[in-house]
Amino acid sequence: GESVGLHLPTLSVQEGDNSIINCAYSNSASDYFIWYKQESGKGPQFIIDIRSNMDKRQGQRVTVLLNKTVKHLSLQIAATQPGDSAVYFCAESGTSYGKLTFGQGTILTVHP
Amino acid sequence: GAVVSQHPSWVICKSGTSVKIECRSLDFQATTMFWYRQFPKQSLMLMATSNEGSKATYEQGVEKDKFLINHASLTLSTLTVTSAHPEDSSFYICSARTSGAYNEQFFGPGTRLTVL
């Protein structure tokens, strides 16, 4: 079936570096994408979202890029901090029903 | 901001017993609630979608008679794991959203279920 996947399962960076987390999706009908951060033992926390009519959206220290041609989504975190260490999931929705399909997740580890 | 709570945060039960997990939207009305299951080091897998006042819609492979979902009000949905077995041990997470095409889902903190 359709799925959302990630290129890299783990990413280790030094504090202050920029981080890039990637996600590939296969459902061409997807029109809404979200990035979540999940800390150990907690529920996912919304980071940023983007609709398919956009290719870039910026938040505080985070930027999401969407390339619909190659069905690729990325999350950029500027000046990564130890508190950013967590698992990051991309998720997509293809209908107004709101059902989300989650990617596999990337473990981000930030070293002081 | 929108807050979703779950109760209990963790539960340990014996095999064969039933466990009920509550999901509440504390400061908004949730027309739709979703239940997910997450095994260690894996992603969230959607189990079912629950709309207030109607029967839940289950994902393929999820047994509706084993995972009973009730969405009796706009602020409360419950998931009951019936006749729990060790393989049902997992992290159960709910989310809630209001009506609208792109409304954000707000996630609860999760419930850790351990079946002995």
Side-chain angles (χ1 to χ4, degrees):
Chain A
E2 303 281 14
S3 65
V4 180
L6 290 172
H7 293 303
L8 301 173
T10 62
L11 177 64
S12 293
V13 300
Q14 290 295 126
E15 181 178 3
D17 287 352
N18 295 330
S19 302
I20 299 177
I21 300 171
N22 297 301
C23 178
Y25 65 95
S26 57
N27 185 353
S28 57
S30 298
D31 59 2
Y32 180 53
F33 305 87
I34 314 101
W35 280 101
Y36 290 96
K37 172 186 179 183
Q38 186 180 29
E39 297 176 310
S40 181
K42 297 183 180 180
Q45 175 187 353
F46 174 90
I47 301 174
I48 192 168
D49 60 1
I50 188 168
R51 300 181 188 182
S52 59
N53 61 352
M54 303 170 68
D55 54 21
K56 180 178 180 179
R57 191 163 186 227
Q58 289 184 293
Q60 187 177 10
R61 283 202 305 121
V62 295
T63 301
V64 55
L65 299 178
L66 175 63
N67 186 328
K68 294 181 290 294
T69 302
V70 295
K71 299 195 188 94
H72 185 266
L73 189 70
S74 69
L75 175 70
Q76 300 177 1
I77 305 174
T80 316
Q81 302 167 2
D84 294 328
S85 295
V87 180
Y88 289 81
F89 292 98
C90 64
E92 59 90 8
S93 178
T95 70
S96 61
Y97 188 49
K99 191 166 72 170
L100 294 176
T101 299
F102 278 79
Q104 295 179 4
T106 293
I107 301 171
L108 174 65
T109 303
V110 183
H111 301 283
Chain B
V3 178
V4 176
S5 69
Q6 283 185 240
H7 177 80
S9 56
W10 60 271
V11 57
I12 301 173
C13 70
K14 293 181 178 180
S15 184
T17 61
S18 294
V19 175
K20 180 185 285 187
I21 303 170
E22 293 185 348
C23 177
R24 294 181 184 272
S25 57
L26 298 186
D27 50 3
F28 68 101
Q29 292 186 328
T31 52
T32 306
M33 288 184 170
F34 302 88
W35 286 96
Y36 298 83
R37 180 167 52 184
Q38 184 179 33
F39 293 107
K41 300 188 184 300
Q42 294 189 23
S43 187
L44 282 75
M45 296 298 296
L46 180 65
M47 299 174 67
T49 303
S50 163
N51 290 297
E52 186 266 338
S54 62
K55 291 184 179 180
T57 302
Y58 290 81
E59 294 299 301
Q60 190 173 7
V62 178
E63 301 175 58
K64 63 180 181 181
D65 293 332
K66 180 170 182 60
F67 299 100
L68 302 179
I69 292 173
N70 182 279
H71 192 162
S73 77
L74 286 171
T75 59
L76 173 64
S77 177
T78 60
L79 168 68
T80 302
V81 183
T82 62
S83 187
H85 288 94
E87 57 266 30
D88 298 323
S89 298
S90 188
F91 194 49
Y92 291 87
I93 306 171
C94 73
S95 70
R97 65 186 287 268
T98 56
S99 60
Y102 296 107
N103 280 12
E104 180 185 342
Q105 285 188 31
F106 301 97
F107 283 82
T111 297
R112 174 74 59 192
L113 170 64
T114 302
V115 185
L116 302 177

